[in-house]
Amino acid sequence: MSGPTHRLRPRGFGRGAALTLVFASVLATAAATGSLPQGDERTAAMKSRSVASTVDRDEVAAAAAEAVADGKSSTEAAEEVVSRSGDRWGAVYDEREYEEFEQALDGSYTGVGLAAKRSAAGLVVVARVQPGGPADLAGIEPGDLLRTVDGRRVDRRPVSEVVALLRGDRTSAAVGTTVVLGVQRDATGPARTLTLTRARLTTEAVTVHRLGAKQLGPDRSDSPAAVLIKVDAFTKGSGARIRDAVLDAPAGAGVLLDLRSNSGGLVTEAVVAASGFLDGGLVATYDVHGVQRALYATPGGDTDRPVVVLVDGGTMSAAELLTGALQDRGRAVTVGSRTFGKGSVQMPSRLPGGSVAELTVGHYRTPAGRSVDGRGITPDLVVTSRALQRAQTVLSGLGGGS
């Protein structure tokens, strides 16, 4: 990646903690399994917020140090200060939580391997089951209803609360701990009680599929098959996977980049991904304590093949950065609904007692200077239903197959 360096060493951070910028909420896949907190010990996190941070890092550290001296929890003391600060996305995490997030950025997490969503009837439904994971081995299938977690009813609870129950508290969310689920195959079927053991699982953040080619004319020759690249999160290596998929696509084939429900990850990976579509140039700018910096794509990307980007309200952070770059640079047509709008910069610092505080320090902008934070990105073609089909139609119209 050309341009200025993007490794930061905030004051107070541990020796050897090379920091890269991260656009972070909870990574989508891991959050759905109840396995991850927000943040990353090695990174500065970029998160959405609506008010400026009013808490000083030294104030948080002083509160943590005082708690340690009194034999109390430094994490809880720091959390109290941050909660009063007005920094909507400021947060404090203990060492284990940061370790979990680091592992997630490497493409692994602790959990049971299921993703949940809310049904129209207000019930919690299993949306996805990771092959070979504890949920899969227990016979849980997509569409099953999740009724209880450790004996607690989850009907009509916010999915975030269900995630927290699946994950466990700070002492129980570890490999080898168990969680008891009450599951139904459908609303009228018998309930099953299943005890699952949390395990270390790996995720595939990027999947690539070749969409079927269309046959043309009497000679039955095929049009170029489009390539569908689905990105769930920007974990380590995902940027290269996306870039390589673009460069390896058949000549004349278009690319459908699906960033729906992608809640972010490593911004460095998003920049690598952008390098697959751009021949160098600006990807985004950001500020840290008022100092302006920039992120640049590496030259040599494919600038010719048609590209359509699919987004929705769950497209956040690093995914919004990539979307904004391709839209502003005229490199892609965007289809779907307005993105979430998560684009503020947070920087972590190590506190006495071992916990880590993340405090907001700035924001990023797209190449055209647009602020994403609190606004999101409006796609070129706004659609509320059949978004994938509409995107394929657009791609076909651009000459990229479908």
Side-chain angles (χ1 to χ4, degrees):
M1 177 169 53
S2 60
T5 180
H6 304 295
R7 293 194 178 275
L8 310 174
R9 290 184 185 274
R11 178 184 53 180
F13 230 75
R15 179 170 56 86
L19 305 181
T20 57
L21 288 173
V22 173
F23 283 68
S25 170
V26 179
L27 296 181
T29 302
T33 63
S35 63
L36 294 181
Q38 296 176 338
D40 175 26
E41 180 178 357
R42 300 166 299 174
T43 62
M46 291 189 171
K47 299 179 181 178
S48 174
R49 84 211 217 301
S50 60
V51 295
S53 173
T54 58
V55 64
D56 183 82
R57 181 168 47 195
D58 291 338
E59 181 183 352
V60 179
E66 183 178 350
V68 171
D70 293 341
K72 299 178 181 179
S73 168
S74 62
T75 301
E76 292 179 2
E79 284 176 342
E80 183 177 351
V81 175
V82 173
S83 68
R84 299 195 307 260
S85 71
D87 185 348
R88 177 183 174 189
W89 296 99
V92 180
Y93 307 104
D94 64 26
E95 290 182 283
R96 184 195 58 75
E97 289 174 327
Y98 262 74
E99 180 181 357
E100 281 287 325
F101 193 79
E102 285 182 329
Q103 292 169 339
L105 291 174
D106 291 331
S108 66
Y109 66 96
T110 298
V112 297
L114 67 82
K117 66 180 180 180
R118 177 74 54 198
S119 73
L123 303 178
V124 179
V125 180
V126 175
R128 185 172 63 254
V129 177
Q130 182 166 334
D136 181 36
L137 297 177
I140 296 176
E141 299 177 0
D144 285 355
L145 300 178
L146 187 59
R147 293 297 199 179
T148 62
V149 177
D150 284 335
R152 301 181 186 181
R153 298 284 297 185
V154 297
D155 293 352
R156 302 189 184 282
R157 281 179 180 255
V159 172
S160 60
E161 290 186 16
V162 179
V163 165
L165 292 174
L166 286 169
R167 181 177 184 274
D169 59 26
R170 290 177 176 176
T171 59
S172 66
V175 172
T177 59
T178 60
V179 59
V180 181
L181 306 183
V183 180
Q184 279 183 296
R185 186 51 42 90
D186 56 57
T188 60
R192 296 175 292 155
T193 300
L194 303 172
T195 300
L196 277 59
T197 301
R198 296 182 179 95
R200 175 65 56 192
L201 302 172
T202 58
T203 61
E204 184 63 54
V206 179
T207 54
V208 181
H209 300 286
R210 185 77 59 84
L211 299 178
K214 290 183 177 179
Q215 293 183 318
L216 303 174
D219 60 356
R220 309 294 285 176
S221 60
D222 291 341
S223 66
V227 174
L228 171 64
I229 305 175
K230 171 62 178 170
V231 188
D232 291 326
F234 287 97
T235 57
K236 279 190 173 181
S238 60
R241 174 88 166 120
I242 297 166
R243 181 195 60 204
D244 292 346
V246 175
L247 298 178
D248 293 342
V255 171
L256 183 56
L257 182 63
D258 191 348
L259 300 180
R260 292 176 297 176
S261 299
N262 182 320
S263 60
L266 289 163
V267 69
T268 49
E269 297 296 334
V271 174
V272 172
S275 299
F277 301 95
L278 302 170
D279 187 17
L282 186 63
V283 174
T285 60
Y286 64 97
D287 63 280
V288 176
H289 293 304
V291 178
Q292 297 298 315
R293 308 185 185 190
L295 299 168
Y296 295 93
T298 301
D302 188 320
T303 60
D304 294 325
R305 70 176 73 249
V307 180
V308 172
V309 179
L310 262 172
V311 296
D312 64 8
T315 303
M316 308 180 191
S317 302
E320 290 179 287
L321 177 143
L322 177 57
T323 302
L326 298 182
Q327 188 182 54
D328 281 4
R329 299 281 301 273
R331 186 60 192 89
V333 176
T334 52
V335 176
S337 53
R338 182 187 292 270
T339 63
F340 185 86
K342 183 179 287 289
S344 63
V345 183
Q346 287 181 310
M347 189 174 291
S349 59
R350 177 74 70 181
L351 301 176
S355 56
V356 178
E358 285 186 339
L359 306 175
T360 305
V361 297
H363 297 80
Y364 80 89
R365 293 180 179 274
T366 69
R370 292 183 295 163
S371 173
V372 174
D373 196 43
R375 297 181 175 89
I377 295 174
T378 300
D380 301 307
L381 175 60
V382 176
V383 298
T384 57
S385 62
R386 299 176 59 84
L388 178 60
Q389 291 86 343
R390 296 290 297 276
Q392 288 181 266
T393 300
V394 171
L395 188 61
S396 179
L398 294 173
S402 60

